Amino acid sequence: MRVGAGAAAIGSAAKVTLLEPVRAMASPRPVPPSDRLRFASIGTGVRGCNDLSTALRAPGVEMVAVSDLYDGRLIAAQEEAGKKLDTTKDYRRILDRKDIDFVIVATMDHWHAKIVEDACAAGKDVYCEKPMTHKVSEGFQIIDAMRKYNRRVQVGSQRRSNVVFAKAREIVESGALGQITAVDGWMDRNDPSGAWVYPVPPDASPQTIDWERFLGDAPKIPFNAKRFFRWRGYSDYGEGLPGDLYVHILTGIYTVLGLQTPPQKAVASGGLYHYKDGRDEPDMISTLYSFPGITVSVRCNLNNDSQGSGTRVYGTKGTLSFDSETSVTFVPQDTRPQPEGYSVIGWPKKLREEYWANWKKEHPAPPLSSLTAVEQSQTFRVPDDYDEDLVHMENFLTAVRTRSACNEDPVFGNWTAIACHMANHSYFNKAEAVWDEQAKTIRM
Ligand SMILES: NC(=O)c1ccc[n+]([C@@H]2O[C@H](COP(=O)([O-])OP(=O)(O)OC[C@H]3O[C@@H](n4cnc5c(N)ncnc54)[C@H](O)[C@@H]3O)[C@@H](O)[C@H]2O)c1
């Protein structure tokens, strides 16, 4: 993925630059039959249906099979694909097929690692939804499997391929922000859907859902449709707000700052304040992460959305602001030298005035620029039809075809997943979570 040069400067005072999306497959072209890719989806709920239709928008891609645990979703996947597919509730049957090049894994999080490992062992490339793992150890198992079977694996945090974050990285690398010491990221909501209170389909039952298989390694409990459809609220199957939303914020931050390790430490606080519907995950969680020289604060609140979502990267010379994944604004700090005004208040008037007069003599240069910070600020945004999901998927498809590297391989996906696990570790244990790089584990 290359960062396009600013294609057009629109509006002179505002300095808004439209980013040119440079896509792996910018113009659909006929794909020779030898280059056609055949895939299957494993998990075709909300995101799985979205992912399969994204893959089908790329040229030379064909869907041939689907695995899901709920009958309704086997139907939904075929409706989305617009054709009849080979369907099964046992994904291993899909992995046995020799004519499938890659699989999309969009199951609940507690199934990701096992399916990705099995798929790699079966010689399939994999697009796996975020967060990559449910437990810390799984990340290293996935990395081992990818390397052992020489597979291409893309983790599905699409900000990683978004040109806005690549542009922001370029700005950071240019030194324009000076020394970066703090980052804030947040993603807030205030509606039942945002809090995962999804309706349960009327035909949900042990006859239409393979409940035993859904549980997998999770504790064995009787059929519970609410847990199946609202799984994000239960730590047995997901990682709550960190796994659902932090991971997107963190993917952006990791990309922009070029971070390449898990955080050193995390301290989380929050609670289940409002949605007391049986879930065990908090509906508000705020976490302070420590990286060398930088403190990163991340918050998700499901009970007020007045701040929407955003990220701010604070440097000694400027600030980068993202209000969403569609634009980034750089605002310089006014770092022109100023005479001290505050601490000389307690000086005798004569000394104070001499100090100011001397200061002016010693700083004869005019201010660095007559422009205000706002006038110097720059916004870079993507065109209205930019689709980061498609760009991320196309990057994966190129990797499958050419064996090039994926933008978000499991090494990267593991760092952000571990950061999510550290937030939960701290929240549930009410203690600081420390990353132990040697033992590859979180300790307190
Ligand atoms: N990248 C993004 O922006 C984004 C957005 C939404 C969700 N996601 C991720 O996508 C994944 C799925 O989320 P969702 O909202 O679609 O959930 P969902 O509940 O709508 O769908 C998950 C599906 O996985 C199926 N499944 C579970 N275990 C399976 C197994 N062993 N074999 C076959 N099918 C299995 C279930 O039957 C279910 O239909 C999650 O990891 C989530 O974090 C990513």
Side-chain angles (χ1 to χ4, degrees):
M1 176 80 189
R2 288 172 294 129
V3 181
I10 42 179
S12 50
K15 285 198 182 160
V16 178
T17 305
L18 208 55
L19 289 169
E20 190 182 292
V22 181
R23 288 173 36 193
M25 300 171 189
S27 54
R29 55 181 168 80
V31 174
S34 57
D35 245 15
R36 285 188 74 77
L37 298 175
R38 290 158 71 86
F39 79 96
S41 286
I42 303 174
T44 52
V46 183
R47 187 64 181 173
C49 280
N50 198 73
D51 285 341
L52 78 85
S53 71
T54 301
L56 288 172
R57 286 172 59 199
V61 176
E62 185 189 353
M63 183 169 184
V64 295
V66 57
S67 176
D68 198 280
L69 305 182
Y70 165 46
D71 290 343
R73 272 152 180 183
L74 293 172
I75 297 169
Q78 295 179 87
E79 287 172 353
E80 197 69 36
K83 67 187 262 201
K84 210 166 159 18
L85 300 165
D86 175 15
T87 64
T88 176
K89 287 187 178 163
D90 182 355
Y91 72 88
R92 290 168 304 182
R93 209 170 63 60
I94 280 182
L95 300 184
D96 287 341
R97 281 183 61 156
K98 298 283 171 263
D99 61 336
I100 290 177
D101 300 297
F102 71 91
V103 291
I104 296 175
V105 179
T107 63
M108 292 81 171
D109 307 342
H110 70 305
W111 263 105
H112 288 179
K114 170 82 176 120
I115 300 176
V116 175
E117 286 172 57
D118 287 351
C120 287
K124 314 296 180 206
D125 294 320
V126 188
Y127 185 100
C128 174
E129 267 307 336
K130 51 55 48 176
M132 187 172 89
T133 58
H134 186 51
K135 295 181 197 139
V136 169
S137 56
E138 295 170 349
F140 299 96
Q141 291 161 17
I142 288 179
I143 293 168
D144 287 348
M146 170 192 70
R147 289 181 176 152
K148 178 169 174 196
Y149 298 105
N150 191 21
R151 293 294 98 207
R152 291 296 172 271
V153 180
Q154 175 95 305
V155 183
S157 312
Q158 54 278 8
R159 284 187 180 190
R160 182 67 183 157
S161 291
N162 186 324
V163 68
V164 166
F165 293 87
K167 183 70 197 174
R169 172 78 192 132
E170 204 181 273
I171 295 170
V172 166
E173 278 181 332
S174 77
L177 265 76
Q179 185 184 357
I180 297 166
T181 56
V183 180
D184 281 342
W186 63 94
M187 214 180 265
D188 294 342
R189 299 169 167 178
N190 192 8
D191 63 288
S193 178
W196 321 310
V197 187
Y198 303 143
V200 172
D203 69 348
S205 76
Q207 282 68 53
T208 56
I209 293 172
D210 187 340
W211 176 252
E212 290 307 313
R213 205 188 292 268
F214 161 71
L215 290 177
D217 285 347
K220 304 290 169 219
I221 54 164
F223 179 76
N224 182 331
K226 214 168 80 171
R227 279 182 166 250
F228 185 82
F229 290 97
R230 301 177 184 174
W231 57 269
R232 282 175 173 80
Y234 302 89
S235 53
D236 287 337
Y237 325 117
E239 305 74 34
L241 283 167
D244 199 29
L245 303 181
Y246 272 29
V247 66
H248 289 300
I249 301 168
L250 289 165
T251 297
I253 293 171
Y254 265 73
T255 300
V256 173
L257 299 185
L259 296 171
Q260 299 198 352
T261 60
Q264 295 168 309
K265 290 187 293 185
V267 184
S269 182
L272 179 56
Y273 300 128
H274 182 67
Y275 286 97
K276 299 187 180 183
D277 53 7
R279 67 180 71 186
D280 60 3
E281 289 288 350
D283 53 22
M284 148 64 209
I285 178 166
S286 197
T287 304
L288 278 181
Y289 289 108
S290 304
F291 291 90
I294 303 180
T295 300
V296 173
S297 150
V298 181
R299 181 199 70 220
C300 290
N301 182 5
L302 296 179
N303 308 310
N304 179 298
D305 65 1
S306 58
Q307 288 224 48
S309 71
T311 300
R312 303 276 181 272
V313 181
Y314 306 102
T316 49
K317 292 188 193 163
T319 309
L320 278 181
S321 301
F322 306 79
D323 285 327
S324 66
E325 55 285 328
T326 55
S327 72
V328 60
T329 297
F330 170 70
V331 180
Q333 291 268 285
D334 188 348
T335 53
R336 288 168 291 180
Q338 302 291 340
E340 175 66 22
Y342 176 69
S343 66
V344 293
I345 289 170
W347 288 16
K349 189 168 177 236
K350 182 170 170 295
L351 289 185
R352 188 167 59 226
E353 286 177 351
E354 274 171 19
Y355 162 75
W356 280 334
N358 282 339
W359 194 94
K360 272 193 196 144
K361 258 190 254 157
E362 285 162 15
H363 297 83
L368 286 181
S369 159
S370 55
L371 292 179
T372 66
V374 172
E375 283 164 333
Q376 290 179 58
S377 72
Q378 290 207 61
T379 295
F380 300 89
R381 69 170 177 80
V382 290
D384 291 342
D385 62 351
Y386 185 76
D387 182 346
E388 60 175 8
D389 287 343
L390 183 59
V391 177
H392 200 50
M393 182 63 76
E394 285 184 335
N395 169 263
F396 168 67
L397 298 174
T398 300
V400 172
R401 283 204 174 92
T402 66
R403 311 319 285 168
S404 55
C406 289
N407 277 348
E408 189 181 6
D409 72 4
V411 174
F412 182 98
N414 200 30
W415 295 326
T416 54
I418 289 171
C420 297
H421 300 320
M422 287 174 72
N424 281 328
H425 194 95
S426 172
Y427 172 80
F428 284 109
N429 292 295
K430 298 183 170 52
E432 184 176 74
V434 179
W435 177 244
D436 184 334
E437 179 62 37
Q438 265 201 321
K440 302 218 176 318
T441 189
I442 301 170
R443 55 179 174 75
M444 290 189 280

